[in-house]
Each structure stands twice: as structure tokens, then as C-alpha cells.
């Protein structure tokens, strides 16, 4: 059984992430989407909220599981018996950072390989931060965020924004 881990912040999950999940879940027997805890960032949604959102929008994929970790992804992969890490490559700017991470992860866990999936043309410039920014200006998120999550993203952004003012 070939298990892959797809780690990220997913704050919030976008249609670009979802596109990668769909494609990777066709190639591997099991795909674990893992919300990585980043203590440096102050997130829009808590780890638990993000896990619940990802579960909701990936419910139709039978071989997709959702988890979270505050460990290094290479260590998390070992505990799950995974042999692959999935990452997405968008514009050139992702390349250097992603290659560096792949090298470190291989050193920590030689049994694991990082597989890069090219972003689909439609989502090449889409990121969670772009979704947060668009929501701040009340732009239509239909082409960028899962339909089920649009209201809660808009609501959370406006709550955070009113606290800041
Ligand atoms: P991180 O903080 O680890 O970069 P993200 O949630 O921003 O977490 O992204 C997780 C992974 O998904 C990264 O490999 C990123 O390159 C990839 N990714 C993000 N947005 C897209 C997209 N629109 N298309 C393809 N891959 C994407």
C-alpha cells in the first residue's frame, strides 16, 4: 500500500490545493492531508477548524484522510508508514524553497521521496494568502475557494478586520 502525505498550512484550503488532492489521490492508495502547525504564523483558522474544513471538502475522496502535526513532516511520514510527500509547484518562486525542503526531508528520512505536482494552469497564481486578501476586499471567491467554505472565510475575515480597526 503506497501512502503519501500532503503537508501544508491550508489557511484556508483553496481550489488549487483541492486540485492537487484530487490528482494525488488517483496515484497513491492513501493520501493523508496534514495540517502543519506553524507557531510563528497567526492563522485565520485554528488547526482544528482547518482539519474540519478539509474533511468536509474532501469527503468524496475515499482514500483521503486528514491529520495534523507539529513535528517535521519527514518524521510524521515515518509514523504513518508513508513513502512519499506531495508538494505543489506553482510559479518559479516555489522551486528553490521546495527543493531545499525536499533535500532536508530526505536527510531526515531516507525512505521518503518528495513528489512535485505542477499546479494546473487555472490555479498557477492561487494561494491561501491571495484568498485572504481577496476576501478582505470582498471580492467574489467562487473561482478560488471551495464553495462550501466561502461564507465562513468571508465571515472570519470581516471579524478579524473589525477587531483590527
Ligand atoms: P505551506 O505553508 O507549507 O507552503 P500551503 O498551504 O501554502 O502551505 O501550501 C501547501 C502546498 O500546496 C505547497 O506545496 C504549495 O506549493 C502547494 N500549493 C498551494 N497552492 C497551490 C496551487 N494553487 N496549486 C498547486 N499547488 C499549490
Amino acid at each position: 500500500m503506497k501512502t503519501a502525505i500532503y503537508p501544508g498550512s491550508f489557511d484556508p484550503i483553496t481550489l488549487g490545493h483541492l486540485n492537487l488532492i484530487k490528482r494525488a489521490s488517483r496515484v497513491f492508495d492513501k493520501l493523508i492531508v496534514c495540517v502543519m502547525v506553524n507557531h510563528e504564523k497567526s492563522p485565520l483558522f485554528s488547526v482544528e477548524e482547518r482539519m474540519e474544513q478539509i474533511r468536509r471538502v474532501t469527503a468524496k475522496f475515499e482514500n483521503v484522510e486528514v491529520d495534523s502535526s507539529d513535528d517535521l513532516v519527514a518524521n510524521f511520514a515515518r509514523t504513518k508508514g508513508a513513502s512519499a510527500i506531495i508538494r505543489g509547484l506553482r510559479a518559479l518562486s516555489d522551486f528553490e524553497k521546495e527543493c531545499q525542503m525536499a533535500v532536508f526531508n530526505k536527510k531526515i528520512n531516507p525512505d521518503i521521496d518528495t513528489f512535485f505536482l505542477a499546479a494546473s494552469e487555472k490555479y498557477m497564481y492561487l494561494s491561501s494568502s491571495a484568498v485572504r486578501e481577496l476576501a478582505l476586499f470582498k471580492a467574489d471567491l467562487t473561482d478560488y475557494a471551495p464553495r462550501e467554505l466561502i461564507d465562513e472565510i468571508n465571515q472570519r475575515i470581516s471579524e478579524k478586520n473589525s477587531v483590527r480597526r
Side-chain angles (χ1 to χ4, degrees):
M1 168 129 144
K2 292 269 174 240
T3 300
I5 310 288
Y6 177 32
S9 307
F10 307 107
D11 188 34
I13 185 167
T14 70
L15 292 183
H17 293 128
L18 209 50
N19 177 264
L20 236 64
I21 291 170
K22 184 170 151 191
R23 289 156 61 202
S25 69
R26 285 194 201 127
V27 177
F28 291 91
D29 300 310
K30 182 155 111 185
L31 181 69
I32 304 175
V33 182
C34 185
V35 178
M36 302 306 292
V37 180
N38 184 339
H39 297 288
E40 283 166 27
K41 287 188 188 168
S42 94
L44 184 63
F45 292 104
S46 70
V47 170
E48 290 71 27
E49 286 172 323
R50 280 176 268 161
M51 287 173 69
E52 187 280 319
Q53 292 170 336
I54 301 169
R55 277 203 188 99
R56 224 184 314 151
V57 300
T58 61
K60 55 182 171 293
F61 304 115
E62 279 177 7
N63 61 341
V64 172
E65 274 179 24
V66 183
D67 212 326
S68 71
S69 173
D70 58 4
D71 200 352
L72 290 166
V73 65
N75 290 336
F76 177 76
R78 186 181 291 119
T79 66
K80 295 288 171 181
S83 54
I85 294 173
I86 304 294
R87 296 289 287 175
L89 283 182
R90 285 163 294 184
L92 207 60
S93 52
D94 277 341
F95 187 77
E96 191 155 343
K97 184 188 80 178
E98 292 293 344
C99 283
Q100 186 189 34
M101 276 200 297
V103 168
F104 281 117
N105 282 327
K106 186 82 184 165
K107 277 219 150 160
I108 295 163
N109 181 350
D111 297 332
I112 203 148
D113 273 304
T114 300
F115 288 71
F116 294 115
L117 286 182
S120 92
E121 193 185 358
K122 222 170 142 190
Y123 303 124
M124 190 59 83
Y125 295 100
L126 181 56
S127 61
S128 298
S129 59
V131 167
R132 296 195 299 268
E133 187 87 4
L134 287 164
L136 197 56
F137 292 97
K138 303 190 173 7
D140 181 7
L141 299 183
T142 312
D143 289 340
Y144 311 117
R147 209 172 348 112
E148 307 91 304
L149 305 182
I150 291 179
D151 286 347
E152 59 210 81
I153 295 169
N154 282 329
Q155 192 180 339
R156 183 59 57 87
I157 288 280
S158 73
E159 282 164 13
K160 288 230 166 179
N161 202 31
S162 64
V163 169
R164 231 183 281 135
R165 274 202 207 138

